[in-house]
Amino acid sequence: MPTDVRTALVVHAHPDDEAFATGAATWVLHDAGWRVVLRVATQGWQGTADHLPASCALLGIDEWGWLSDADRWIDDGGVNGPRTLARAEPGAVAEEIERAIDELSPQLLLTVGSDGLTGHPDHIAISQAVRLALKDRPCRALGTRLRAQDVRAGERLVRELLPGESIGSGRVTGCDDGTPLEEISGVPELRRRQALDQYYDGLGTQSLPDLVTTYGGRGDGVLLRAVFDASGWQQDRFEVLTAWRSGAPSSP
């Protein structure tokens, strides 16, 4: 590999986070010549890890692997049992992120923001572990956030289609207008839609009115899909988790 190629390390809790949280940014970085490497902490819920290779190929992720042993931490469907990231010792998760940083020497690290993007406890744990891991390491880190206005717009779309139904976990709130965010945009919309399709047929490409009649749940996945429809598929917005800039530009 040429020595001048910049590396972006992407760290997520579960398979599908790479599509929902950073699917625009990874493609843009890849298209700009960066090497994009994903590390995932759990195998996800009910076999979702099987779909990671196809999703990564669509989103410009050059390689992916487990953050630690594949079954060290689990996604228990939101119950937050003893083996989840949310219950893990933060230092232990940070240690594995440190290993990845030392191995890859990235100029940029992407993860979810301080609210976990969706408020999921595992996501929040990953975001906190990233900041702990980078305390003494020269790498700029960005965490994905949603804007509150976009969450509200997505909620309105879903309410129009499913009046009276409760949608989502209630933890997806977004940040207010005063929160400074950086934007990375430019992914072809179809790529991100197709990446979501890897996890549930039609989750990205089926029309929202049709999707809500067939999708098996009323969780955050449907809400996030509606948020993308309302606010656009081609961009991710980030808060700065660590602002170290040595060798790393503020945008790709």
Side-chain angles (χ1 to χ4, degrees), residues 2-72:
T3 57
D4 60 344
V5 172
R6 294 172 291 179
T7 296
L9 171 62
V10 186
V11 179
H12 283 308
H14 314 123
D16 81 9
D17 294 342
E18 82 287 346
F20 279 117
T22 50
T26 54
W27 171 258
V28 172
L29 289 163
H30 170 85
D31 196 46
W34 289 61
R35 175 193 180 202
V36 182
V37 180
L38 172 67
R39 292 289 183 264
V40 184
T42 78
Q43 296 189 61
W45 182 239
Q46 297 181 337
T48 50
D50 295 343
H51 309 290
L52 260 171
S55 175
C56 288
L58 285 162
L59 297 175
I61 296 170
D62 299 291
E63 61 182 86
W64 75 273
W66 304 115
L67 184 62
S68 184
D69 296 334
D71 59 354
R72 180 174 181 180

Side-chain angles (χ1 to χ4, degrees), residues 141-228:
L142 302 176
T144 324
R145 298 292 301 270
L146 296 172
R147 300 183 302 186
Q149 66 194 59
D150 297 332
V151 174
R152 291 192 294 268
E155 289 172 338
R156 286 194 295 271
L157 284 180
V158 177
R159 282 198 298 269
E160 290 172 0
L161 298 170
L162 299 169
E165 290 197 35
S166 177
I167 305 297
S169 64
R171 299 181 300 225
V172 183
T173 58
C175 56
D176 60 34
D177 293 341
T179 303
L181 299 176
E182 298 187 7
E183 182 175 304
I184 299 177
S185 62
V187 66
E189 180 176 321
L190 183 58
R191 281 186 170 270
R192 196 172 199 176
R193 287 182 179 273
Q194 291 175 332
L196 288 181
D197 277 1
Q198 305 310 309
Y199 293 99
Y200 182 89
D201 189 24
L203 181 56
T205 58
Q206 195 172 17
S207 72
L208 189 60
D210 289 340
L211 179 66
V212 298
T213 67
T214 60
Y215 193 68
R218 295 287 187 254
D220 289 339
V222 169
L223 176 56
L224 290 175
R225 161 61 201 271
V227 170
F228 290 154

